């Protein structure tokens, strides 16, 4: 038995058609949702492209600003941001090419932008190289002469065109989506109306129910549309918030774009996580409204009595913001980390869902569940690097199941919390940088205001708009305000100089010139002006100039040039040369015509000079130079130097060296003189002197021989005489002749013929006289003689005086056959001016007869003593006994060199005794 299909539907056909139309409307709504999703993705793509364009624009401007700031201020801290931006720019350009790969027009613009970027990079590198090699002035000139502004303008134009194209494409997409939405809404409305009409046509009896059904369907459609639009907006906002968070945290870190990392499981005391938490500077800070609004929003959205923004370090949980916090915790705003559920969110790097905290707390929770906590839902607050700072959580006072929508809502609000943290960190960093820059500006302003150099700013009309105190003082003004509005040309003694300054500034962007400036009272002074072009805060071109009063320096330079000219003329006149040797470089600079005659260049190396020194003298010169030091900074030396013709010249070298604080040789300065002629004259003089000395020795020898012959003749004659009185006279005369002969004998036996060692002479004379009288057995001689050198014209008469005094003592001091002591002393008078020599002859005999005046004696000996002492301008005194004591004081001729020699040498005290 076959079954039969029903021939009628269980509801009217109109209802079936209406249902079909409703299905079509539902399909249209789904299609509209897909279109909305595509629109959201397209808008996110456009936003990403525009963000990359904005970052690329900032990088290009940062590169240009860094190089110009470095060139303007010479501070290296300008270069680091520029290098980072220059490194990021090609990466951003490549990402933009990838993002706009389906747009040929955008690809062409990016290709042109890449070429401009290469040109600008090459130009900035050339500027930095010029600054490193040739100085900042060369770098400024290259910037002024380059087409960098044109390149920047072209790049800005391309960036504007790229951004405008993205906006245009987004506008077209939005218009298309809006058009599709309008058509779909219109179709939905039309389908709904047709469905309602069919239902109304289906039966009047069901009209009321059909109306209610239509209203319900329409409400459902509107609710579905609203829900779709809300979902689309929420998804777009979530995506936008994620991208915004990544961009914000990227600017806080190093600015390098990296893929966002999911929250990482990490120990509470992990150093990397604690450092990230410290950088937020949120721990132990007071509540802030910008965070409190997120806890209120989450609590109201999820219908929870308690919501917390918790920051967790290694020992505690700090509540940065709290909604509904109990009174006992509101005062401290913290909780030991072991008693919190948030620690597991941080440790695991994942959301924690607890639906019944009293019965099923987290497995690793070691404390009793907190009172009043029925359910807990927490999500991590993590940076894009995956470092978890804390948790964003809601707490219910009774058990509660948490849905996926609850988790999604809490995560979306957590993204906003992270964005607020990033913005706060950026603001704090910006405030810190602003404070640093403000302090730098204040320091710079104070330095300029109190600078010893004049500083002024000239506006575009060539008039001063600013001057510091030093500038006003230089130009004779009491206050800097008095110079405002004064034309630059009025400060120059010559108007042509002002025109030259303006011309160089427009040609090179900077100017450095020495000029004659005019003071307020009309007087002039010499100044060094250094000026360069700049722009004020309004972008107007101004000139920043610094001035230094170099009047004294000019005078010093003039005096130095005059002194150098005088030195040169003096060296030329004396036929001398001066040199300066730099120990660090080995370079030698010479002055004077002497070096031209010697065939030496005015500038050269020390080694070239040393090679010209005679081989026998090089070691001596090197040794003298090697002994230079702080204790012995100079030397004087004469050596031979080879002339260009191969002959040798004698050169005198007087040098003085200077040393560093560590004792290192810095430079050696000296004077050279050609002493060849003097050397030759000295050699001739030495030869002549040698000949004269030989001749004098021969003369003294012959005189001594002649006197010896006379003495021998007297001795022969004495021996033939029978009268003892006559024999005594002849013997005394013989002794006098021998005393004179002994002087000449001493002279020709020694190397020096001009003076006689009178101490040695007296020793020999005394011994000779004692032996001649046959008293060597009974008279002991005591000698205290200093080595005094006397010329012949003093030694001969003084020797005769000593002969007479010793002879008198040997004849009359002692009874016949009696023994005695004869004391003979010779010394220089202490501190006598002029120098004097003291001769003492003393015996221990019977003394002079009472009432006898030696000066009135009639004997030949005493008359000789008187005459010879007068010849020497000497004084003769007789002292009181015992014995006889004679004291002869003789003034020394010349500078008293013999007396000085006697004072420096101790007296040679000897005693000679002849046994009886």
């Amino acid at each position: 038995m076959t079954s039969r299909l029903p021939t009628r539907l269980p509801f009217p056909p109109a209802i079936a058609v209406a249902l079909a139309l409703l299905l079509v409307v539902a399909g249209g709504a789904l299609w509209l949702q897909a279109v909305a999703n595509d629109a959201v993705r397209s808008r996110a793509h456009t936003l990403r492209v525009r963000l990359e364009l904005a970052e690329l624009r900032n990088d290009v401007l940062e590169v240009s600003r860094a190089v110009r700031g470095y060139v303007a201020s010479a501070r290296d801290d300008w270069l680091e941001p520029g290098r980072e931006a220059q490194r990021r720019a090609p990466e951003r350009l490549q990402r933009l090419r990838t993002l706009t790969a389906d747009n040929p027009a955008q690809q062409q613009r990016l290709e042109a932008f890449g070429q401009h970027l290469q040109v600008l990079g090459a130009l900035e590198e050339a500027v930095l190289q010029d600054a490193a090699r040739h100085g900042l002035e060369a770098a400024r000139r290259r910037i002024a002469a380059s087409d960098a502004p044109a390149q920047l303008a072209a790049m800005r134009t391309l960036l504007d065109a790229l951004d405008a194209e993205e906006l245009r494409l987004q506008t077209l997409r939005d218009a298309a989506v809006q058009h599709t939405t309008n058509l779909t809404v219109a179709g939905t409305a039309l389908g709904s109306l047709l469905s309602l009409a069919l239902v109304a046509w289906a039966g009047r009896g069901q009209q009321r129910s059909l109306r209610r059904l239509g209203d319900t369907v329409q409400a459902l459609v509107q609710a579905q549309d609203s829900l779709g639009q809300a979902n689309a907006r929420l998804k777009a906002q979530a995506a936008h918030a994620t991208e915004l968070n990544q961009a914000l945290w990227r600017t806080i870190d190093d600015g390098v774009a990296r893929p966002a990392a999911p929250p990482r499981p990490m120990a509470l005391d992990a150093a990397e996580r604690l450092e990230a938490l410290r950088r937020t500077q949120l721990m132990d800070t007071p509540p802030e409204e910008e965070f409190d609004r997120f806890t209120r929003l989450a609590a109201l959205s999820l219908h929870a009595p308690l919501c917390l923004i918790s920051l967790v370090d290694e020992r505690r949980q700090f509540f940065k913001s709290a909604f509904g916090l109990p009174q006992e915790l509101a005062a401290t705003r913290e909780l030991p980390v072991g008693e919190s559920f948030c620690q597991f969110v941080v440790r695991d790097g994942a959301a924690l869902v607890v639906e019944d905290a009293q019965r099923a707390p987290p497995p690793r929770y070691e404390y009793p569940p907190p009172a009043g906590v029925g359910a807990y839902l927490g999500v991590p607050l993590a940076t894009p690097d995956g470092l978890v700072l804390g948790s964003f959580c809601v707490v219910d006072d009774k058990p509660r199941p948490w849905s996926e929508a609850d988790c999604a809502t809490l995560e979306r609000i957590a993204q906003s919390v992270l964005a607020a943290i990033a913005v706060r960190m950026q603001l704090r960093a910006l405030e810190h940088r602003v404070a640093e820059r403000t302090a730098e500006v204040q320091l710079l302003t104070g330095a300029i205001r109190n600078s010893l150099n004049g500083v002024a700013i000239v506006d575009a009309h060539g008039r001063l708009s600013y001057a510091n105190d030093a500038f006003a003082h230089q130009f004779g003004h009491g206050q800097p305000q008095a110079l405002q509005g004064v034309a630059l040309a009025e400060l120059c003694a010559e108007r042509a100089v002002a025109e030259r300054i303006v011309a160089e500034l427009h040609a090179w962007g900077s100017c450095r010139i020495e000029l004659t400036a005019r003071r307020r009272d009309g007087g002039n002074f010499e100044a060094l002006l250094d000026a360069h072009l700049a722009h004020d805060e309004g972008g107007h071109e101004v000139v920043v100039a610094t001035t230094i009063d170099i009047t004294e320096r000019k005078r010093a330079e003039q005096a130095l040039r005059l002194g150098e000219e005088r030195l040169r003329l003096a060296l030329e006149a004396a036929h001398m040369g001066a040199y300066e040797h730099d120990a660090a470089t080995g370079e030698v600079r010479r002055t004077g015509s002497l070096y031209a005659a010697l065939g030496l260049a005015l500038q050269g190396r020390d080694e070239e000079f040393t090679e010209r020194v005679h081989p026998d003298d090089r070691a001596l010169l090197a040794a003298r130079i090697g002994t230079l030091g702080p204790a012995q900074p100079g030397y004087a030396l004469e050596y031979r130097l080879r002339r260009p013709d191969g002959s040798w010249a004698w050169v005198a070298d007087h040098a003085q060296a200077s040393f560093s604080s560590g004792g290192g040789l810095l430079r050696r300065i000296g004077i050279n003189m050609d002493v060849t002629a003097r050397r030759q004259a000295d050699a001739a003089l030495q030869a002549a002197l040698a000949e004269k000395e030989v001749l004098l020795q021969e003369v003294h020898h012959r005189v001594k021989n002649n006197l010896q012959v006379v003495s021998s003749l007297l001795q022969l004659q004495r021996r033939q005489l029978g009268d003892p009185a006559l024999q005594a006279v002849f013997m005394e005369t013989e002794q006098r002749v021998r005393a004179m002969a002994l002087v000449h004998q001493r002279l020709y036996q020694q190397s020096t013929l001009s003076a006689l060692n009178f101490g040695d002479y007296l020793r020999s004379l005394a011994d000779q006289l004692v032996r001649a009288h046959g008293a060597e057995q009974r008279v002991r001689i005591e000698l205290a003689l200093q080595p005094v050198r006397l010329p012949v014209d003093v030694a001969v008469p003084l020797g005769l005086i000593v002969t007479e005094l010793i002879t008198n003592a040997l004849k009359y001091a002692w009874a016949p056959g009696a023994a005695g002591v004869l004391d003979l002393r010779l010394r220089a008078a202490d501190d006598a001016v002029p120098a004097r020599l003291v001769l003492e002859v003393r015996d221990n005999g019977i003394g002079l007869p009472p009432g006898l005046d030696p000066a009135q004696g009639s004997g030949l000996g005493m008359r000789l003593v008187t005459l010879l002492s007068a010849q020497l301008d000497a004084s003769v005194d007789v002292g009181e006994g015992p014995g006889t004591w004679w004291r002869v004081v003789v003034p020394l001729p010349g500078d008293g060199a013999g007396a000085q020699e006697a004072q420096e040498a101790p007296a040679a005290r000897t005693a000679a005794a002849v046994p009886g």
Side-chain angles (χ1 to χ4, degrees):
M1 188 173 176
T2 61
S3 61
R4 298 177 61 187
L5 294 174
T7 58
R8 291 175 60 89
L9 294 173
F11 43 81
I15 300 298
V17 174
L19 291 174
L21 288 174
L22 288 176
L23 289 176
V24 171
V25 169
L30 293 175
W31 179 70
L32 179 60
Q33 184 175 1
V35 171
N37 290 336
D38 291 340
V40 170
R41 287 192 293 271
S42 175
R43 182 175 291 277
H45 178 271
T46 301
L47 178 62
R48 185 175 179 185
V49 172
R50 295 188 69 194
L51 282 173
E52 291 292 343
L53 288 173
E55 295 288 347
L56 183 58
R57 185 192 302 271
N58 291 334
D59 289 342
V60 171
L61 293 178
E62 183 64 31
V63 171
S64 177
R65 186 183 305 112
V67 174
R68 291 177 180 272
Y70 169 71
V71 172
S73 65
R75 291 177 51 184
D76 292 339
D77 56 353
W78 281 91
L79 293 178
E80 187 61 28
R83 293 193 181 101
E84 291 295 327
Q86 192 171 12
R87 182 180 59 78
R88 294 193 300 266
E91 298 177 0
R92 298 191 190 283
L93 186 62
Q94 184 59 37
R95 287 198 294 272
L96 285 171
R97 287 172 177 164
T98 303
L99 292 172
T100 60
D102 57 346
N103 191 331
Q106 294 290 74
Q107 290 292 315
Q108 292 178 359
R109 294 187 182 95
L110 289 174
E111 186 65 28
F113 184 86
Q115 296 175 359
H116 287 296
L117 183 61
Q118 292 178 356
V119 172
L120 182 61
L123 175 60
E124 303 296 348
E125 186 64 27
V127 169
L128 292 178
Q129 290 180 359
D130 283 352
R133 294 176 180 175
H134 309 296
L136 296 178
E137 289 299 327
R140 296 190 188 108
R141 289 195 295 269
R142 180 176 283 273
I143 291 176
S146 67
D147 59 346
Q151 293 290 337
L152 290 174
M155 296 171 77
R156 283 196 292 267
T157 302
L158 288 173
L159 290 172
D160 293 339
L162 288 166
D163 190 63
E165 177 66 15
E166 291 297 324
L167 286 176
R168 186 185 68 80
L169 294 176
Q170 184 60 39
T171 302
L172 292 176
R173 295 189 193 101
D174 290 345
V177 171
Q178 185 63 37
H179 179 69
T180 302
T181 302
N182 293 337
L183 289 177
T184 305
V185 172
T188 303
L190 180 60
S192 300
L193 292 175
L194 289 175
S195 299
L196 292 175
L198 288 173
V199 171
W201 182 69
R204 292 182 174 231
Q206 299 177 353
Q207 184 176 5
R208 184 176 298 173
S209 59
L210 288 176
R211 286 178 181 173
R212 288 196 297 267
L213 180 60
D215 293 339
T216 303
V217 170
Q218 187 175 6
L220 288 174
V221 171
Q222 292 178 355
Q224 187 175 6
D225 292 341
S226 299
L227 182 60
Q229 294 174 3
N231 285 333
R233 287 195 297 271
L234 287 175
K235 289 180 180 179
Q237 290 176 358
H240 178 69
T242 301
E243 293 179 356
L244 179 60
N245 277 340
Q246 293 178 6
L248 288 173
W249 284 93
R250 191 162 59 243
T251 57
I252 293 173
D253 294 332
D254 53 8
V256 179
R258 301 186 184 88
R264 290 181 285 169
M266 191 172 293
L268 295 180
D269 58 353
E272 185 180 8
R273 189 191 75 83
L274 293 176
E275 175 61 21
L277 179 61
R278 184 196 63 78
R279 289 177 55 198
T280 63
Q281 298 181 3
L282 289 174
M283 295 292 288
D284 300 319
T285 57
E288 300 177 35
E289 175 58 28
E290 57 184 290
F291 293 105
D292 292 344
R293 58 191 180 94
F294 294 121
T295 53
R296 288 197 301 268
L297 175 62
L300 295 176
S301 299
L302 299 179
H303 306 289
L306 177 62
C307 181
L308 301 172
I309 296 177
S310 301
L311 302 174
V312 180
D313 60 13
E314 72 276 14
R315 61 182 181 84
R316 61 188 175 123
Q317 170 185 356
F318 172 70
F319 306 132
K320 174 58 185 174
S321 178
F323 178 82
L325 190 66
Q327 187 65 32
E328 59 272 13
L329 292 177
T332 60
R333 297 175 58 219
E334 64 178 37
L335 191 68
V337 68
E339 301 179 11
S340 69
F341 287 0
C342 297
Q343 62 171 314
F344 302 109
V345 179
V346 177
R347 291 179 188 272
D348 300 335
L352 176 63
V353 179
V354 179
E355 296 183 346
D356 191 343
Q358 298 298 324
R359 295 183 179 180
R364 292 170 292 173
Y365 191 71
E366 300 176 353
Y367 292 87
V373 178
Y376 174 91
L377 175 61
V379 296
L381 295 174
T383 67
D385 295 334
L387 302 175
V388 182
L389 307 175
S391 72
F392 183 53
C393 63
V394 290
V395 179
D396 205 332
D397 56 0
K398 55 184 178 297
R400 169 182 173 176
W402 302 101
S403 64
E404 294 183 0
D406 295 337
C407 291
T409 299
L410 196 62
E411 287 178 352
R412 284 196 294 270
I413 301 176
Q415 289 294 326
S416 299
V417 173
L418 285 171
I421 293 175
V423 169
R424 185 184 186 278
M425 292 174 66
Q426 280 189 327
L427 289 176
R428 295 296 185 274
L430 181 60
E431 291 173 356
H432 181 67
R433 286 197 295 270
V434 168
E436 288 181 344
R437 294 298 183 188
T438 302
E440 290 178 0
V441 170
Q442 291 175 350
L443 288 174
L444 182 59
T445 302
I448 292 175
R449 183 172 58 251
N450 299 313
S451 174
L452 298 178
N453 297 335
V455 181
I457 299 177
V458 182
D459 60 20
H461 303 291
R463 296 186 175 275
L464 271 68
S465 59
Y466 171 81
N468 68 347
D469 295 341
F471 191 90
H473 178 72
Q474 289 174 358
F475 286 88
H477 291 268
Q479 296 295 329
Q481 293 78 8
L483 283 166
Q484 292 186 359
V486 175
L488 177 62
E490 297 178 11
L491 302 179
C492 300
E494 300 178 5
R495 182 171 295 274
V497 175
E499 296 173 354
R500 176 186 170 189
I501 293 172
V502 174
E504 289 190 12
L505 285 172
H506 286 92
W508 306 103
S510 62
C511 174
R512 186 180 181 88
I513 186 174
E514 293 183 2
L515 55 91
T516 302
R518 179 183 294 115
R519 291 192 178 91
R520 179 184 181 186
D521 57 4
N524 295 336
F525 69 97
E526 299 298 322
L528 173 63
L529 173 72
D530 194 347
H532 65 273
L533 291 177
H535 293 84
D536 60 11
E537 62 275 7
H540 303 101
E541 189 176 82
V542 296
V543 177
V544 179
T546 60
T547 58
I548 302 175
D549 188 343
I550 60 173
T551 304
E552 293 300 325
R553 193 194 77 184
K554 285 287 188 179
R555 292 174 181 170
E557 290 176 353
Q558 180 66 24
L560 179 61
R561 285 193 294 270
L562 181 59
E564 290 177 349
E565 181 64 16
R566 290 174 177 171
L567 176 61
R568 185 188 66 80
L569 293 176
L571 292 175
E572 295 289 343
H575 197 59
M576 299 170 63
Y579 68 89
E580 179 179 358
H581 171 247
D582 190 334
T585 62
E587 295 290 334
V588 181
R589 293 188 300 171
R590 303 181 180 92
T591 304
S593 60
L594 171 65
Y595 299 109
L598 295 175
L600 292 172
L602 295 182
Q603 287 189 348
R605 305 281 303 175
D606 189 49
E607 296 83 0
E608 301 170 357
F609 181 85
T610 306
E611 291 176 357
R612 300 277 297 275
V613 177
H614 195 283
D616 296 341
D617 299 338
R618 288 177 190 169
L620 178 60
L621 177 60
R624 288 296 181 88
I625 295 175
T627 58
L628 291 177
Q632 184 179 351
Y635 67 84
L637 183 65
E638 294 183 0
Y639 47 83
R640 288 163 288 181
L641 194 71
R642 188 178 65 252
R643 294 193 182 99
D645 59 1
S647 62
W648 296 97
W650 278 97
V651 176
D653 186 357
H654 297 264
Q656 197 76 11
S658 62
F659 302 88
S660 65
S661 57
L665 179 62
L666 296 178
R667 61 180 52 84
R668 176 166 47 92
I669 300 174
I671 293 178
N672 292 135
M673 179 185 300
D674 188 345
V675 295
T676 305
R678 194 204 72 194
R679 276 276 184 167
Q680 294 172 350
D682 289 346
L685 183 61
Q686 291 295 330
L689 183 60
E691 294 177 359
K692 291 181 179 180
E693 287 181 350
V694 171
L695 179 60
L696 285 175
Q697 285 180 345
E698 182 63 22
V699 169
H700 285 299
H701 182 64
R702 290 181 180 274
V703 170
K704 175 257 180 186
N705 289 340
N706 291 336
L707 291 174
Q708 190 66 38
V709 169
V710 172
S711 176
S712 298
L713 292 175
L714 290 173
Q715 185 178 10
L716 290 174
Q717 186 65 38
R718 175 173 58 83
R719 289 177 179 176
Q720 294 178 1
L721 294 174
D723 188 352
L726 291 176
Q727 288 182 351
V729 171
F730 270 84
M731 192 178 86
E732 291 176 2
T733 303
E734 181 183 339
Q735 296 301 324
R736 295 185 184 103
V737 173
R738 286 183 179 179
M740 291 186 290
L742 183 61
V743 170
H744 292 281
Q745 179 182 353
R746 288 288 182 180
L747 285 173
Y748 84 79
Q749 287 179 347
Q750 65 184 17
S751 59
T752 303
L753 301 178
S754 60
L756 176 68
N757 188 334
F758 200 68
D760 290 343
Y761 168 77
L762 289 181
R763 184 177 293 105
S764 299
L765 180 62
D767 182 67
Q768 176 180 298
L769 292 174
V770 171
R771 291 182 182 276
H773 285 81
E776 65 269 19
Q777 299 297 328
R778 59 185 181 85
V779 176
R780 186 177 78 251
I781 301 176
E782 291 187 356
L783 303 175
L785 307 174
Q786 290 183 350
V788 181
R789 303 187 68 83
L790 297 178
V792 177
D793 56 347
V794 176
V796 171
L798 189 58
L800 291 175
I801 292 175
V802 174
T803 299
E804 295 300 327
L805 295 178
I806 293 178
T807 299
N808 285 341
L810 293 174
K811 290 173 59 178
Y812 307 117
W814 301 280
V821 178
L822 180 63
D823 190 0
L824 184 62
R825 299 175 183 270
L826 180 68
R827 61 181 175 83
D830 297 335
D831 301 328
V833 180
R836 293 180 179 274
L837 187 66
V838 178
L839 174 66
E840 295 180 356
V841 179
R842 179 180 299 180
D843 61 64
N844 60 348
I846 60 177
L848 294 176
L852 177 63
D853 184 5
Q856 302 298 324
S858 59
L860 177 61
M862 292 309 301
R863 288 201 301 271
L864 285 175
V865 171
T866 303
L867 291 174
L868 292 175
S869 61
Q871 178 183 339
L872 295 176
D873 196 17
S875 62
V876 179
D877 297 323
V878 179
E880 296 181 358
T884 304
W885 174 65
W886 296 88
R887 186 173 185 269
V888 181
V889 179
V890 183
L892 294 178
D895 55 359
Q900 181 178 1
E901 179 181 355
Q903 289 176 354
E904 293 175 353
R909 186 171 186 89
T910 61
V914 180

